[in-house]
Amino acid sequence: MESTLKELTNGESVLDIKDKCGVAGGVEDIYGEDRATEDQTITPWTFSVASGYSLLRDPHYNKGLAFTEAERDAHYLRGLLPPTVSSQQLQEKKVMHNLRQYQVPLQRYMAMMDLQERNERLFYKLLIDNVEELLPVVYTPTVGEACQKYGGIFRRPQGLFISLKEKGKILEVLKNWPEKSIQVIVVTDGERILGLGDLGCQGMGIPVGKLSLYTALGGVRPSVCLPITIDVGTNNQKLLDDEFYIGLKQKRATGQEYAELLEEFMSAVKQNYGEKVLIQFEDFANHNAFELLAKYRTTHLVFNDDIQGTASVVLAGLIASLKLLGGTLADHTFLFLGAGEAGTGIAELIALEITRKTSVPLEEARKKIWLVDSKGLIVSSRVESLQHFKKPWAHDHEPVKELIDAVKAIKPTVLIGTSGVGKTFTKEVVEAMASLNPKPLIMALSNPTSQAECTAEEAYTWSKGHAIFASGSPFDPVEFEGRTFVSGQANNAYVFPGFGLGIIMSGTIRVHDDMLLAASEALASEVTEDDYLKGRIYPPFTNIRKISAHIAAEVAAKAYELGLATRLPRPSDLVKYAESCMYTPLYRSYR
Ligand SMILES: O=C([O-])CC(=O)C(=O)O
Ligand SMILES: [Mg+2]
C-alpha cells in the first residue's frame, strides 16, 4: 500500500496529496494526528496535573510564597517552601522594591523577564499596577537595548523561532508550542527593530514585549499569545561577528526564498489555528512590510502595527489636538520627516479620515500632506524613482533637499518625525515651526529614545513653551519658565492591545481601515480637560485598561457593522463585554 502510494505520488509527500484531495484533517486536527500517515512522526503530548516541584517551576501556576497551607498540603509542596505564607500584594511590594534597586535599565529588564519566567501572574500584576513605571522597562526604550544585547543576556528561550532550517516543517514547529489555542501572534523578521535597524534573530524581544502588553494593557490571556521570530539571516555584520549571536550566521535570504518561507508560515498558521488568529506584523523592513500586508490582508487576519497601529495612534493625537489648535484636520498642513511604514501609514490614515469627515476626495486630501525622505521633499519630478508606497505623496513642487527648507517652503502646522534617525529636528527646525505657528504640533515618533527626532526638553525650550509635543518613547515632564509640560507618548501601544481585544472578542476575520479610524476616535475621546491643561494630547497610561476596553468596543462595533464579526449574537453592551473578557492577574485558588 505504502509503495503504491509513493509511486502514485510521484515523489510528493502524502500530506501534499491529502491536501489536494481535500481530505486533510485541517484546522480541527490540531495535533496533526489524524492526517499523519504511519511513516510520519507526531508529537507525543501528555497532560498531567502539575504538583510539587514541577508546580513551583511552572510559571503559569507558580505562586511562590503565596501558596496557602491547604494548597501546600494538597499539592505536595510541604518542605519545598519556607514556612511563611505571603499575599500577592506583599510579593508585589517586594519585587518592586528589588527592581528599584537596579540603576541600569537592562538589569530591570532582565529581572522582569526572569519574573515572567518564574511567576506569570505576579509579572502581570506588577505591570498592570505600575504601568507608567514599568512600560519603559519591558518596552521602549529598554527593549531596544535588550534586543541589541539579546545573545549576551540570553537565559531561556521565549517565543517560537522559525528559521530557514525549518523550511518545509513549519507546521510541525507550530505544534511544538505547548499551547494549542492561539488568538494573537506577533511576528517579526528582525530586519528593522524600532529605529535600530537589522537585529536579526535578536528581534525576538519585540514580539515578546508587544505580547506582554497585549495581556497587561489589553487583557488578552497570556496563554493565547504567541511571539514568533522568523530568522532568514541578518545583514548586520556586527551580529554575524558576535560569538554570542543566537541566530543563523548568514546574510538575509531575499526574493523567492524569503517569500516562500513566509508563505509557508502564513499557511501553516491558518491551517493550525484557523481563520480567526490575529497575525500582527512587527518591525519588518519597509519593502517586506508593505508587500506582506498587501498580499495577506484579503486572505488572513493581519495587522501591521508599524503601518496601521502607529497611524491609528497618531491620528488619535491629531484629532485630540484640534481642541487646542482649532480647526478641522482638513485645515492643517502636515510635514513628515521619514516616508517609510509609519510615515506613509499615518499620512494615508489622515487622508482617509479627512475624506470620511468632508466631501473632499482622497487625492485632494493627500495634497495637505507632505513627506521628506533621505533625498529631500517628495515631489512629482522624483516620481519615477520612488518606491511605490511613496508615489501617492509626490506633489507638484520644486525640489527641496533639506528639512529646514521644506519647513520654510511648505509652512506646516504639524511636523511628524518617523525617520528612525535621532536629533534631526534641530533647533533651527523647531524655531522655524514656532515662528510659523502660535502652537506648533511636533511629534518625534522614532524609537527608542536615542532615535527620537528631538527630546521633549528641546521641543519646549526651542519653541519657548509654545509647542505641543508627543514622542514615541517616553520623556519625563519638563520645567520651562516656571511651567511644567507633560508630553504624550504617541506610541502604538495605546491602540494595538485594545484593537486586538476588539477583534478577538467579536470573532472578526479581517482588518478594515475603518476599524483603525474607530480606534483613533475612541482613543481621542479619552483625553480629558486635565490632560489638555498639561499640554498633552494623549491620556496617561495609568487608565489604559479602561481605554483599551473602549477601543475594543468601538473596533468590535465597526466590525459588526461591516459584517466582519462572527461572534453572534452581538453583545448589546460592548464595553461591558470587553471588560468581562479581560484577563486579571490575581492568583486563583487551587483545589
Ligand atoms: O515598539 C514601539 O515602541 C513602537 C513601534 O512599533 C516601533 O517603533 O517600531
Ligand atoms: Mg514596531
Side-chain angles (χ1 to χ4, degrees), residues 139-140 192 194 210 282-283 305-306 447 491-492:
Y139 192 58
T140 184
R192 196 235 72 211
L194 309 178
K210 293 270 174 185
E282 195 70 52
D283 293 6
D305 191 32
D306 303 295
N447 296 310
N491 189 293
N492 47 35

Side-chain angles (χ1 to χ4, degrees), residues 516-531:
L516 301 172
L517 297 180
S520 304
E521 299 277 357
L523 176 56
S525 71
E526 296 290 328
V527 186
T528 63
E529 280 309 314
D530 188 47
D531 295 324

Side-chain angles (χ1 to χ4, degrees), residues 163-454:
S163 77
L164 288 170
K165 286 193 212 169
E166 280 71 57
K167 188 168 167 28
K169 296 182 238 171
I170 297 181
L171 190 59
E172 286 168 54
V173 174
L174 293 179
K175 291 180 197 302
N176 288 343
W177 187 252
E179 301 290 348
K180 298 298 135 209
S181 160
I182 296 298
Q183 292 173 336
V184 196
I185 289 171
V186 176
V187 59
T188 188
D189 73 352
E191 191 169 3
R192 196 235 72 211
I193 294 300
L194 309 178
L196 301 170
D198 184 351
L199 299 184
C201 195
Q202 305 201 153
M204 181 55 104
I206 296 293
V208 168
K210 293 270 174 185
L211 283 165
S212 67
L213 303 198
Y214 257 102
T215 300
L217 278 49
V220 177
R221 228 183 310 131
S223 62
V224 300
C225 298
L226 173 55
I228 296 184
T229 294
I230 295 187
D231 184 352
V232 296
T234 178
N235 295 340
N236 183 332
Q237 196 57 44
K238 220 173 131 202
L239 289 179
L240 290 173
D241 295 338
D242 178 352
E243 60 179 332
F244 298 135
Y245 180 58
I246 59 168
L248 288 183
K249 292 213 170 181
Q250 65 165 77
K251 289 270 190 240
R252 278 188 180 274
T254 57
Q256 198 183 342
E257 194 183 5
Y258 179 89
E260 278 175 12
L261 193 74
L262 267 288
E263 174 65 25
E264 185 190 342
F265 169 70
M266 294 302 287
S267 309
V269 164
K270 196 160 156 180
Q271 188 174 347
N272 205 39
Y273 303 117
E275 189 85 17
K276 286 179 257 174
V277 58
L278 173 61
I279 304 172
Q280 174 165 322
F281 293 119
E282 195 70 52
D283 293 6
F284 283 75
N286 286 328
H287 54 117
N288 290 325
F290 287 108
E291 231 172 272
L292 291 171
L293 185 60
K295 185 167 175 190
Y296 292 108
R297 68 185 303 167
T298 53
T299 55
H300 291 64
L301 180 59
V302 292
F303 169 70
N304 184 301
D305 191 32
D306 303 295
I307 300 172
Q308 299 173 297
T310 305
S312 181
V313 168
V314 172
L315 178 61
L318 295 174
I319 294 170
S321 74
L322 296 175
K323 285 235 173 82
L324 296 169
L325 300 176
T328 66
L329 272 187
D331 299 326
H332 286 274
T333 306
F334 304 87
L335 180 66
F336 286 77
L337 177 65
E341 295 157 61
T344 61
I346 300 162
E348 198 62 54
L349 204 65
I350 295 173
L352 187 66
E353 173 79 355
I354 292 175
T355 63
R356 291 282 191 274
K357 287 282 150 70
T358 59
S359 53
V360 177
L362 191 63
E363 273 307 312
E364 280 306 303
R366 283 185 178 141
K367 293 199 173 131
K368 302 289 295 195
I369 305 170
W370 296 81
L371 285 80
V372 171
D373 67 6
S374 58
K375 299 195 174 62
L377 190 64
I378 296 184
V379 291
S380 27
S381 58
R382 291 179 53 194
V383 79
E384 290 307 318
S385 62
L386 289 172
Q387 287 162 288
H388 66 92
F389 52 89
K390 297 183 183 176
K391 287 189 198 282
W393 311 102
H395 309 318
D396 290 335
H397 197 284
E398 63 198 43
V400 179
K401 188 96 192 55
E402 301 298 330
L403 175 66
I404 179 68
D405 298 324
V407 171
K408 287 176 184 163
I410 303 299
K411 302 186 176 34
T413 53
V414 180
L415 178 67
I416 301 179
T418 53
S419 62
V421 186
K423 302 273 167 233
T424 36
F425 290 173
T426 57
K427 184 160 186 262
E428 214 184 352
V429 166
V430 174
E431 282 175 354
M433 283 299 292
S435 72
L436 290 165
N437 302 287
K439 286 183 190 161
L441 175 50
I442 297 177
M443 293 189 168
L445 299 182
S446 295
N447 296 310
T449 320
S450 58
Q451 311 309 110
E453 284 78 5
C454 67

